[in-house]
Amino acid sequence: MTKFEYAPAPESRSIVSLRESYGLFINGEFGPGVDGRAFKTISPATEEVLAEVTEAGPADVDRAVTAARKAYEQTWSAMPGRERAKYLFRIARIIQERARELAVLESLDNGKPIRESRDVDIPLVAAHFFYHAGWADKLEYAGYGPAPRPLGVAGQVIPWNFPLLMLAWKIAPALACGNTVVLKPAETTPLTALAFAEICQQADLPPGVVNIVTGAGETGRALVEHPGIDKVAFTGSTEVGRQIARACAPTRKKVTLELGGKAANIVFEDAPVDQAVEGIVNGIFFNQGHVCCAGSRLLVQESVYSDVLASLRRRLTTLRLGDPLDKNTDVGAINSAAQLAKIRELSEVGEAEGAQRWSPPCELPVKGFWFPPTLFTGVSQAHRIAREEIFGPVLSVLTFRTPAEALEKANNTPYGLSAGVWTEKGSLILWMASRLRAGVVWANTFNKFDPTSPFGGYKESGYGREGGRHGLEAYLDV
Ligand code: NDP
């Protein structure tokens, strides 16, 4: 096979104008934090410092919650839905207008390939605002009673894997339903949330309706534990989700948690191999595997195991790892040194427990945080790499003989966020889908998202749904 090289095709950074430092966005304005603390956000691909960002302390969180409360009582909750919709439509259109800038900024701060931020993240962000704008004046038809009321002030904490998309999942339904919000982005990826704050200014959103407080876990804790909020929405690790559930249990706060996953991607012997291999690759190597619903456990029917594995290995040798801003890049940088350490540690455990590790020949850049696409074969259900969320480009491969065995293995996990089924038999898809304990089941595809579809988990993957008509319930007093 002739190997042909791609010429570099870097997206220009010039469309992004980074400020040296960013304040907190409270009551419609950027300003300093009370105690003057700040932290740096870096590019995980180069370790270059991108900007300094204010660390919000409890006093800042309190100011943000007060601003959100005032905006809730004085403007937003009293505004007719059709007026709120106009703001959401305006935000959606500005996101589309600034799409290229937002995509470059996201790839710089997060490390994900520009192809993904440009073609997946940002279009979905706009779609979420368009979709929820449509609901704002139709809430009485959503099935939650004739005059559903908003909850009040929502405290929202999001992770670093889809920074702007998780913001959209949280803010769009909250505003459509008439709530105001205080949102904390992840420490390693605050920049697109701050760009979103500028978009709120550009859209003339009334002050205090959206507040962005940057900081680390302590800022998140101050927000979710603040007595002035009515609703907590969190996406992140199961461990932090548990802490939040505990903290909110004695309060009247309504809580939704979207936590980890260890999804099974199940390939039956009649599945078209090439199509399934594309789905496997998309399932685990999309966004470097930093995806809560990633197909991190591949279950292959024994009769086609060697064919599927041979095709998969061949396909992995064609993945291009490198500069996230290069339009040819398939696999970008790992988001942080801490996440890289976790991926390395679990991969070493996988080897020590007896699984066989394989990666395609792949040169890793010297600077930044990188991990090659990796397969583990000979994995048993007891192995930690089959049970724990690695949250990186690492696939554990297991086998099965019958549909019943596939089902049992797929459901043998404390998580239940998503699953994939690959077969030509419609009856088998329906049989599996009705028995898989997972919030989303994809058939002959994987990682497909749409604002009209509810998303959320069973078991330790959390509770509550985001998106679609079901997602509105989380922001309404029903
Ligand atoms: P966390 O759950 O710690 O972070 C998610 C968000 O919660 C971040 O904004 C974080 O702030 C914030 N936070 C941290 N501690 C608290 C707290 N006590 N109260 C309120 N908010 C808090 O995830 P990590 O980034 O530490 O990642 C660890 C692991 O979690 C990953 O390896 C992965 O396995 C899993 N994970 C799963 C995600 C999912 O979507 N299911 C998303 C992200 C991670 P800050 O980032 O500033 O610390």
Side-chain angles (χ1 to χ4, degrees):
M1 194 169 68
T2 7
K3 187 164 163 24
F4 84 91
E5 263 312 312
Y6 290 79
E11 176 72 58
S12 166
R13 271 178 71 156
S14 62
I15 193 160
V16 167
S17 45
L18 285 171
R19 298 188 212 163
E20 239 170 65
S21 65
Y22 289 83
L24 306 170
F25 184 67
I26 297 177
N27 206 29
E29 285 172 6
F30 284 96
V34 170
D35 54 18
R37 291 212 302 220
F39 59 97
K40 292 184 169 55
T41 184
I42 63 169
S43 151
T46 59
E47 297 173 59
E48 163 203 351
V49 174
L50 297 172
E52 200 172 81
V53 180
T54 303
E55 184 179 333
D60 301 307
V61 169
D62 189 55
R63 286 192 298 133
V65 173
T66 306
R69 171 67 54 197
K70 190 163 148 224
Y72 175 74
E73 281 167 6
Q74 296 182 358
T75 50
W76 200 246
S77 65
M79 192 183 279
R82 62 177 185 281
E83 295 301 316
R84 291 201 306 272
K86 286 184 196 167
Y87 287 103
L88 290 172
F89 276 123
R90 209 179 284 164
I91 288 170
R93 283 194 298 266
I94 298 172
I95 288 166
Q96 285 185 321
E97 281 162 22
R98 295 178 61 172
R100 205 156 74 86
E101 173 199 346
L102 293 170
V104 172
L105 190 58
E106 196 75 302
S107 285
L108 270 177
D109 203 19
N110 168 282
K112 64 174 70 201
I114 186 75
R115 219 159 43 81
E116 293 178 6
S117 49
R118 181 195 65 194
D119 299 346
V120 182
D121 293 50
I122 308 302
L124 276 173
V125 170
H128 269 268
F129 280 95
F130 277 119
Y131 173 74
H132 286 96
W135 270 119
D137 63 346
K138 301 173 196 71
L139 295 171
E140 65 264 44
Y141 307 109
Y144 302 115
R149 297 274 313 143
L151 294 169
V153 177
Q156 307 178 317
V157 177
I158 56 170
W160 42 261
N161 53 345
F162 293 94
L164 195 59
L165 185 56
M166 288 302 107
L167 173 148
W169 280 29
K170 300 273 179 291
I171 292 186
L175 298 197
C177 292
N179 306 274
T180 57
V181 310
V182 180
L183 176 133
K184 190 200 88 70
E187 183 184 4
T188 57
T189 54
L191 294 182
T192 45
L194 293 163
F196 181 80
E198 287 172 13
I199 290 173
C200 293
Q201 289 179 323
Q202 211 181 332
D204 276 332
L205 190 72
V209 173
V210 168
N211 304 274
I212 309 282
V213 288
T214 42
E218 277 312 303
T219 309
R221 187 205 300 265
L223 176 57
V224 299
E225 294 183 3
H226 194 288
I229 59 170
D230 306 286
K231 151 87 191 167
V232 172
F234 171 79
T235 298
S237 62
T238 295
E239 188 191 327
V240 173
R242 272 199 204 104
Q243 289 172 25
I244 293 176
R246 244 180 257 127
C248 294
T251 72
R252 56 176 179 78
K253 289 171 195 166
K254 192 160 168 173
V255 181
T256 41
L257 301 174
E258 201 264 273
L259 310 174
K262 192 74 191 175
N265 204 359
I266 308 161
V267 179
F268 286 97
E269 59 191 359
D270 64 337
V273 172
D274 289 345
Q275 197 183 326
V277 164
E278 285 310 305
I280 295 163
V281 169
N282 176 38
I284 185 64
F285 301 113
F286 172 67
N287 202 28
Q288 296 74 247
H290 300 330
V291 184
C292 47
C293 53
S296 51
R297 282 186 300 152
L298 174 64
L299 302 185
V300 191
Q301 196 152 13
E302 249 178 45
S303 47
V304 290
Y305 175 77
S306 40
D307 280 358
V308 170
L309 256 283
S311 295
L312 185 57
R313 287 206 168 102
R314 209 163 39 237
R315 178 67 178 91
L316 291 194
T317 58
T318 68
L319 287 182
R320 303 179 58 83
L321 175 146
D323 180 6
L325 288 184
D326 191 318
K327 289 167 227 165
N328 297 320
T329 294
D330 300 304
V331 181
I334 299 304
N335 182 251
S336 65
Q339 189 59 30
L340 179 59
K342 182 182 165 188
I343 299 169
R344 283 187 176 147
E345 186 204 323
L346 272 168
S347 300
E348 279 156 23
V349 169
E351 269 182 304
E353 288 186 334
Q356 288 87 53
R357 178 176 179 163
W358 181 87
S359 289
C362 170
E363 210 175 299
L364 301 183
V366 183
K367 279 222 124 177
F369 315 127
W370 303 92
F371 198 86
T374 299
L375 287 185
F376 274 100
T377 50
V379 178
S380 87
Q381 296 209 79
H383 286 160
R384 277 180 67 193
I385 53 168
R387 291 185 285 120
E388 294 179 28
E389 187 175 48
I390 301 175
F391 224 63
V394 181
L395 180 65
S396 301
V397 187
L398 297 96
T399 58
F400 66 91
R401 290 184 182 164
T402 64
E405 186 187 345
L407 185 67
E408 198 168 307
K409 286 187 167 162
N411 283 339
N412 182 10
T413 163
Y415 295 113
L417 201 50
S418 68
V421 180
W422 297 83
T423 166
E424 300 225 306
K425 288 193 196 74
S427 56
L428 184 54
I429 291 171
L430 294 175
W431 190 86
M432 291 294 291
S434 62
R435 288 165 179 80
L436 282 164
R437 301 293 291 162
V440 183
V441 179
W442 285 293
N444 295 326
T445 186
F446 209 91
N447 272 343
K448 286 273 180 277
F449 302 98
D450 188 294
T452 64
S453 309
F455 184 89
Y458 281 95
K459 301 191 276 185
E460 289 185 23
S461 293
Y463 43 77
R465 293 292 178 264
E466 293 186 294
R469 185 187 70 79
H470 305 74
L472 299 172
E473 189 189 348
Y475 290 96
L476 291 171
D477 186 2
V478 292

